Amino acid sequence: MPDRVAISSVSGEMAQLINRYDWQQTSLGPMSTWPLQLKHAVDLSLPSQAQIVLFCGPDMVAIYNDAYAPTIGTKHPGALGKPAREYWSELWDDLRPLLMRVMETGETVVAKDRQFYIERGDTPETVYFDISYSPVRNDAGQVIAVFCVVSETTSRMEYEGELRRLASIISSSQDAIMGINLDLIVTDWNAGAEKLYGFSRDEIVGQSVNVLIPADRLDEETRIIEHIKAGGRLDPHETVRRHKSGRLVDVSLSVSPIVDASGRVIGASKIARDITDRKEAERIQSVLAGELNHRVKNVLATVMAIARQTFSGNTDPKMAKASFEARIHNLARAHDLLTRGSWESASLSQVVAQALSPYPSKAFQVEGPELNIPPKAVLALALILHELATNAAKYGALAVSSGRVMVSWVAGDGTDTGFRFVWKEVGGPVVVPTSRKGFGSRLIQSLSAGQLQGTVEMTYDADGVRCEICAPLSSEWVEEDHELVTEQGGSAGGAV
């Protein structure tokens, strides 16, 4: 018959299992033969809420209490009364040295968060325990059992590991992450916040978050914290914060509540991202869109004006069509020049060379320094040169072999930021001035006053036409740029 434990009043599953167990089949023998010290150790362990297991005798037979049973999972209840090496085989190489140290030396072995590898369910686990292994001695002072008080810390270790990982993520994040309490005092500060705002952790923690808020936005912070106190959160929104240097920084800010273990809101977590580059890109995009708007209006208005003046009253459709195509082709080639220069500027010498390329080069004398002119000046001069050259080829210096055209320019039109451009024909047919202005003259006048924002002087000398243009080198597009050649009437033919 199995023996009974010394304290028969002890209740619980393990007390019943121990009472019913056939100890005679183990190396410990019948319970009646157990040393009194071992019985007392078992008696002490059974009612305890601490997790306790005893490894007894030379085979390290296991006896444990109810509190310990859940820690070994599927090993329970089969592990009761069995040698440790059988039911803890997967960790025996790790466990045995600890137990033998107590058995052989009689010392107590203590460790915090001791790692073990255990198979107590469907999958193997790495677990952690605080352990205290102490000896149980008989009357002769011999160690007859190891009294193991353990406390599993796996959940805490995993939680702390998660916190460390989270802290590492926060610490290394490029976003600015900070914590504040409900009094608006900064409590946490990562490297991203230091980079964005310029304050080191030591400088800012313990200070009011208001040092980061522009004076005209202090009420914004008050509204945010009131919203957080109510348990709300703020999705990313754009705002402005102040750098340590005093400069303002565009940021995208999101805010979430920080709660304690009871769920009470105790502060706020803020994540800010520098959007200065994006805002600047949006500004540039807006400027470019405005500039493109002017360019498109200008080009369309110019094309419409050219079409209107070319075809209005012209009795020869074929000639009008040819003139129109030539002017549009010249405008397109000017755009090609600007495209190669990223629409920032183009060389005046290239503009001249391109406009005069359909004509013999020996008929021209071109002089001028290297000078880059803005987009609207490129388009205007390309059209002006086309009209001057077309007129010269029909009626002026380019109509005869003896004619020459001198093209020159200098930087400076009476200011430090302008230029003066001169077209002068010599050796051509005698020029007969006319009181009626043709399309070319009107276009030149309109472009000079509009896009170039300058002045033009047309002189009809007997030797040939002379056109002098003075204009600033402004690169800005103005609202009136697209208002070109509004005068009705005229024809594609005739003198400039």
Side-chain angles (χ1 to χ4, degrees):
M1 293 291 293
D3 297 304
R4 299 183 63 82
V5 293
I7 305 177
S8 59
S9 62
V10 174
S11 62
E13 179 190 14
M14 291 311 302
Q16 295 176 17
L17 290 174
I18 292 171
N19 273 326
R20 293 197 299 264
Y21 198 84
D22 185 4
W23 294 103
Q24 188 170 345
Q25 302 302 316
T26 71
S27 61
L28 294 182
M31 191 181 299
S32 59
T33 66
W34 290 3
L36 185 60
Q37 293 83 355
L38 178 57
K39 292 182 178 181
H40 286 169
V42 174
D43 288 344
L44 287 172
S45 69
L46 286 176
S48 176
Q49 296 302 305
Q51 301 169 36
I52 300 174
V53 57
L54 289 88
F55 294 104
C56 313
D59 290 339
M60 303 287 184
V61 172
I63 303 174
Y64 51 90
N65 67 356
D66 290 307
Y68 181 80
T71 69
I72 58 175
T74 56
K75 295 181 184 295
H76 172 72
L80 179 65
K82 300 298 191 296
R85 65 179 178 274
E86 292 184 15
Y87 268 76
W88 281 266
S89 58
E90 74 277 10
L91 56 77
W92 183 242
D93 288 342
D94 190 21
L95 181 60
R96 182 178 182 278
L98 298 175
L99 299 178
M100 293 306 297
R101 182 176 167 186
V102 179
M103 294 288 285
E104 293 174 356
T105 67
E107 65 179 292
T108 296
V109 175
V110 177
K112 295 285 290 182
D113 300 318
R114 179 65 159 74
Q115 179 178 307
F116 293 97
Y117 171 82
I118 188 171
E119 296 175 0
R120 58 181 180 181
D122 295 334
T123 58
E125 298 177 61
T126 297
V127 296
Y128 298 86
F129 284 88
D130 288 344
I131 63 172
S132 176
Y133 293 180
S134 55
V136 177
R137 301 175 187 271
N138 60 15
D139 289 336
Q142 297 172 322
V143 178
I144 58 174
V146 180
F147 190 88
C148 304
V149 181
V150 301
S151 176
E152 184 168 2
T153 60
T154 303
S155 296
R156 177 174 60 79
M157 290 294 289
E158 290 176 347
Y159 176 71
E160 291 178 355
E162 186 65 26
L163 286 181
R164 286 192 295 272
R165 286 191 292 273
L166 183 59
S168 177
I169 291 171
I170 292 174
S171 176
S172 61
S173 174
Q174 295 300 307
D175 290 337
I177 302 176
M178 77 172 91
I180 64 172
N181 62 24
L182 298 182
D183 294 324
L184 304 183
I185 302 301
V186 178
T187 57
D188 295 283
W189 190 259
N190 76 338
E194 181 173 343
K195 181 179 179 182
L196 177 59
Y197 296 117
F199 291 95
S200 69
R201 179 181 176 84
D202 291 340
E203 289 177 313
I204 196 68
V205 170
Q207 302 297 317
S208 171
V209 73
N210 285 340
V211 300
L212 307 176
I213 314 298
D216 60 346
R217 291 178 178 263
L218 291 176
D219 59 334
E220 174 186 303
E221 191 66 15
T222 301
R223 291 194 302 271
I224 288 175
I225 204 66
E226 289 302 321
H227 185 69
I228 293 299
K229 285 180 180 179
R233 63 181 64 239
L234 271 73
D235 292 331
H237 65 284
E238 295 180 7
T239 186
V240 178
R241 290 295 180 260
R242 187 180 299 279
H243 187 270
K244 180 181 178 181
S245 65
R247 66 181 174 86
L248 298 181
V249 183
D250 291 305
V251 300
S252 173
L253 183 67
S254 60
V255 189
S256 303
I258 298 175
V259 299
D260 61 14
S262 65
R264 181 172 58 93
V265 176
I266 59 173
S269 170
K270 297 187 168 192
I271 301 178
R273 177 170 295 177
D274 189 350
I275 58 172
T276 302
D277 291 344
R278 196 197 80 200
K279 298 293 284 188
E280 177 63 13
E282 290 175 354
R283 186 193 68 79
I284 293 174
Q285 185 179 34
S286 177
V287 171
L288 290 177
E291 187 167 334
L292 180 61
N293 181 51
H294 284 302
R295 291 177 188 174
V296 172
K297 284 183 178 179
N298 185 70
V299 171
L300 291 176
T302 301
V303 171
M304 289 174 63
I306 291 173
R308 182 173 58 245
Q309 295 293 343
T310 301
F311 293 103
S312 177
N314 198 308
T315 58
D316 188 341
K318 289 185 178 180
M319 182 180 295
K321 179 176 180 294
S323 296
F324 178 75
E325 289 178 349
R327 286 162 176 156
I328 298 304
H329 180 65
N330 182 63
L331 186 64
R333 291 198 301 165
H335 277 78
D336 289 340
L337 273 181
L338 288 172
T339 300
R340 291 195 292 271
S342 300
W343 268 87
E344 293 180 357
S345 65
S347 167
L348 179 52
S349 61
Q350 288 182 326
V351 176
V352 172
Q354 182 171 268
L356 303 183
S357 61
Y359 307 97
S361 59
K362 64 181 181 179
F364 298 94
Q365 178 182 330
V366 179
E367 295 180 355
E370 187 61 34
L371 182 65
N372 286 330
I373 58 177
K376 63 180 183 178
V378 171
L379 299 179
L381 283 173
L383 290 170
I384 289 171
L385 284 167
H386 175 78
E387 296 305 319
L388 290 171
T390 299
N391 187 75
K394 290 181 178 180
Y395 313 108
L398 298 181
V400 296
S401 59
S402 60
R404 296 289 183 274
V405 178
M406 291 175 287
V407 179
S408 63
W409 64 88
V410 293
D413 63 340
T415 72
D416 294 332
T417 59
F419 70 100
R420 181 166 59 90
F421 182 87
V422 178
W423 168 286
K424 181 174 175 57
E425 300 178 26
V426 295
V430 176
V431 174
V432 179
T434 176
S435 59
R436 176 178 170 276
K437 289 184 178 180
F439 169 68
S441 295
R442 293 195 301 276
L443 180 64
I444 292 170
Q445 291 283 354
S446 180
L447 290 169
S448 298
Q451 284 190 326
L452 291 177
Q453 295 180 292
T455 61
V456 61
E457 182 179 348
M458 297 286 294
T459 305
Y460 300 93
D461 296 333
D463 288 343
V465 173
R466 184 179 188 276
C467 176
E468 180 175 329
I469 298 172
C470 294
L473 286 172
S474 169
S475 60
E476 296 180 0
W477 296 85
V478 296
E479 192 64 34
E480 291 77 18
D481 281 345
H482 59 278
E483 300 295 337
L484 302 175
V485 194
T486 57
E487 182 181 346
Q488 297 289 336
S491 65
V496 172

